[in-house]
Amino acid sequence: MSAFLTYLITGLALGCSFALVASGFVAIHRVTGVVNFAQGTFAVVAGLMAGSLLGRGLPHGLAEILAILLAGAVGLVVGVIAIGKRGTPPLASLVITLGLGILAYAVEIIIWGDQPISFQMVPGSVDIAGAPILRQYLVVIAVALVTFAGLGLFFGRSYLGKALTACASNPYAARLAGINVMRMGLLAFALGGLLGGLAGVLVTPLQPVAFDSDVALATNGFAAAIFGGLNRPGLALVGGLVLGVAEAFVAGYLSGSYQTEVALALMLAIMIWRASRRVSVAEEPA
Amino acid sequence: MLEVTDLVVRYGRATALDGVSLELAPGEMVALVGPNGAGKSTLVDTLSGIVAPAAGRVVLRGRLAQVPEGRQLFAELSVADNLALGAWRSGRGRAGRDPARVFEVLPDLRPLAGRLAGTLSGGEQQMVAVGRALMADPDILAVDELSLGLAPRVVADLARHLRELNAERDTTVLLIEQNARLAFDLCRRAYVLESGRITASGPCVQLAESPQVARAYFGGTTEGAGDPVPGGARDP
Ligand SMILES: Nc1ncnc2c1ncn2[C@@H]1O[C@H](COP(=O)(O)OP(=O)(O)O)[C@@H](O)[C@H]1O
Ligand SMILES: [Mg+2]
């Protein structure tokens, strides 16, 4: 029973970290229609930066915030390159982000080397119903929930959030209304950078991060984001949680060596099931 | 109010507008008719400032808002949000986003406020598109293809609203239509745009009698033969 609870909470925390990466995908895709394959890079940059700032004696809090802001700035730069030229098709932007993610490897190795970096944020563990749970997991869960509540309010309630949504919904009409679609897209990339950075800073204490950790982070984050069609933060959170819990149980009860594969297969099955249900609804006579 | 002089617009090598000049006086309701591909939408997009002219001059006194061809609503957002975003440019904060003044003109929108724009009928969507443009408090309203794809009764209803806006609120209206009979019925004056050039202009009564216009837009006769007359809505 206590093993079950440990796996469950570990899985939820893992899922929350996937969901945070996913939220960056969603923020960018929802506004620009671009699938940003540099999303994992934002997390890696923030993780590495936080690690080296803490190594230099900066206090907790400040180091993490600076690292997240750096990721936001990197997001903005990626945005400028990917969508800064008007009329760039989303597919071309996608390829640009893919290229930038690979280019980032070189920069990261020059600055931080090629060894994994980790640091402690909230050390120790607590007992929950007899199951020892790392405090860091609880931090991840709490931050993710607050972030998603904030994102939901931002996109669903605020005027700026609606203008951002309008940009992807109908860019032509958005421009007619006087919305600066390009600026909104850049804002979305910066937001995506911040969210990716937040994920990176929270994950690094749990699993050391190196320059090439972006693939694993982005794969899981993307799978979670796809669950909500890359547009719905709430569903991305659900997707992340399903994925995280599945991975934790596979790792706990079966084997850690193919937890990601099993979880992704599960995700695929869910998506196919959902797609087939949608078709059958559409086929019903109106 | 609006003065366009020798406007030239190109898409790459293709010339969409080739020396177009037209004029709108305050409070006027003017029609712009012409076949598909004539450059009508290009002209309004240029007036809206989202297409850049290659040559020529546009002098605009006041604010222009466009009801774009095909409605172009934000399908995933509610009607209320679509309306609110129409006020984006006005920069007057929360008060500017209040749709109450548009509900006064288009009361049918009020019960739709909570619906997703993408789930509405074509006529309802067109009304939202008009309402969204009105949220910008325009001095000139440019309506691109009001009747496109809509049932005659719905068109008549929308036309009545436009006429009211023009008569009671003094909003200048530029009405773009392929249905010349509807346009001529609503407006006193019209321009005919063909292949990027103004080929005829003047009072609608005269234009309708010109053999060239009559042949192109009224199938050879100048007498109305069945198209609905706006204002006198009747069932199809
Ligand atoms: N974005 C565009 N890129 C290239 N050509 C365009 C574009 N928009 C319109 N055109 C061309 O310009 C001409 C005028 O089009 P348009 O202004 O839409 O005409 P209308 O509204 O009168 O049907 C057409 O030949 C059309 O193919
Ligand atoms: Mg057109």
Side-chain angles (χ1 to χ4, degrees):
Chain A
M1 183 59 207
S2 98
F4 175 86
L5 204 59
T6 306
Y7 297 150
L8 180 66
I9 296 180
T10 310
L12 288 176
L14 198 60
C16 282
S17 69
F18 297 161
L20 282 172
V21 178
S23 68
F25 275 112
V26 170
I28 291 173
H29 184 269
R30 186 182 167 108
V31 177
T32 64
V34 173
V35 179
N36 170 41
F37 273 102
Q39 193 61 39
T41 305
F42 303 158
V44 167
V45 164
L48 295 175
M49 188 67 187
S52 68
L53 287 178
L54 288 168
R56 269 155 219 239
L58 252 74
H60 272 294
L62 183 61
E64 283 90 346
I65 287 173
L66 286 177
I68 292 169
L69 290 177
L70 173 69
V74 172
L76 185 60
V77 171
V78 169
V80 168
I81 300 172
I83 62 163
K85 190 170 166 297
R86 196 150 78 217
T88 310
L91 214 54
S93 299
L94 179 153
V95 175
I96 294 174
T97 63
L98 199 59
L100 288 174
I102 292 166
L103 187 69
Y105 281 1
V107 180
E108 286 157 11
I109 290 174
I110 292 170
I111 300 177
W112 290 291
D114 59 0
Q115 292 307 303
I117 290 183
S118 189
F119 56 83
Q120 282 208 326
M121 191 181 282
V122 232
S125 55
V126 287
D127 250 36
I128 297 181
I133 306 291
L134 290 180
R135 281 177 202 274
Q136 182 70 22
Y137 284 143
L138 302 181
V139 171
V140 173
I141 293 173
V143 172
L145 293 182
V146 170
T147 304
F148 272 88
L151 275 180
L153 285 177
F154 177 64
F155 278 117
R157 294 286 161 83
S158 81
Y159 195 43
L160 178 60
K162 283 170 183 166
L164 282 164
T165 306
C167 289
S169 169
N170 191 324
Y172 170 69
R175 284 177 68 203
L176 279 182
I179 298 171
N180 188 328
V181 173
M182 165 94 54
R183 197 181 301 162
M184 290 289 170
L186 294 179
L187 186 62
F189 265 92
L191 179 61
L194 292 174
L195 291 167
L198 184 62
V201 161
L202 289 169
V203 162
T204 311
L206 293 170
Q207 48 183 94
V209 164
F211 69 96
D212 59 356
S213 304
D214 65 320
V215 177
L217 286 165
T219 306
N220 287 304
F222 183 73
I226 273 284
F227 199 73
L230 285 172
N231 286 328
R232 312 263 299 272
L235 286 180
L237 177 59
V238 173
L241 293 177
V242 169
L243 200 58
V245 170
E247 289 197 15
F249 280 123
V250 170
Y253 290 121
L254 300 171
S255 151
S257 51
Y258 35 75
Q259 60 181 77
T260 306
E261 288 79 353
V262 172
L264 289 178
L266 174 73
M267 207 67 186
L268 197 64
I270 293 176
M271 274 159 48
I272 291 171
W273 172 69
R274 277 175 19 123
S276 66
R277 242 180 24 143
R278 207 169 305 139
V279 169
S280 65
V281 167
E283 275 169 354
E284 275 166 23
Chain B
M1 184 108 257
L2 172 69
E3 211 181 309
V4 176
T5 322
D6 298 328
L7 193 67
V8 178
V9 174
R10 298 200 178 90
Y11 294 111
R13 235 180 255 153
T15 302
L17 292 179
D18 190 6
V20 167
S21 300
L22 57 81
E23 221 175 313
L24 258 71
E28 257 194 314
M29 185 148 170
V30 174
L32 177 68
V33 299
N36 239 329
K40 306 180 296 297
S41 299
T42 301
L43 177 63
V44 255
D45 278 354
T46 312
L47 300 181
S48 293
I50 65 168
V51 168
R57 214 161 54 110
V58 175
V59 181
L60 185 62
R61 279 180 214 89
R63 201 199 311 259
L64 180 142
Q66 186 189 147
V67 180
E69 181 177 338
R71 299 31 115 191
Q72 311 287 350
L73 297 184
F74 305 118
E76 301 85 352
L77 294 179
S78 71
V79 168
D81 290 341
N82 271 271
L83 293 176
L85 286 170
W88 179 262
R89 209 194 294 264
S90 79
R92 288 195 291 125
R94 206 170 280 277
R97 282 177 243 152
D98 185 356
R101 62 183 191 283
V102 167
F103 289 156
E104 270 172 38
V105 192
L106 304 169
D108 295 345
L109 282 183
R110 199 188 294 270
L112 301 177
R115 299 264 303 274
L116 287 186
T119 65
L120 302 180
S121 73
E124 289 168 335
Q125 290 197 4
Q126 188 66 290
M127 193 155 321
V128 175
V130 172
R132 183 178 60 183
L134 291 179
M135 287 296 289
D137 283 332
D139 306 290
I140 305 182
L141 188 67
V143 184
D144 196 352
E145 308 275 12
L146 179 76
S147 68
L148 193 74
L150 300 181
R153 194 157 43 105
V154 176
V155 175
D157 190 39
L158 285 163
R160 181 174 53 81
H161 283 303
L162 281 189
R163 192 179 264 164
E164 273 169 20
L165 262 172
N166 176 249
E168 289 162 24
R169 312 223 159 190
D170 243 16
T171 308
T172 309
V173 177
L174 178 62
L175 180 69
I176 290 157
E177 265 295 335
Q178 288 197 43
N179 179 349
R181 188 163 281 123
L182 168 71
F184 284 14
D185 210 81
L186 273 171
C187 304
R188 192 164 299 151
R189 216 154 62 74
Y191 291 90
V192 179
L193 185 69
E194 289 172 330
S195 311
R197 293 207 175 90
I198 302 282
T199 52
S201 68
C204 292
V205 238
Q206 275 176 30
L207 280 178
E209 278 168 7
S210 119
Q212 169 217 353
V213 174
R215 207 175 317 116
Y217 299 102
F218 297 100
T221 69
T222 53
E223 288 306 306
D227 270 12
V229 178
R234 39 185 150 98
D235 283 299

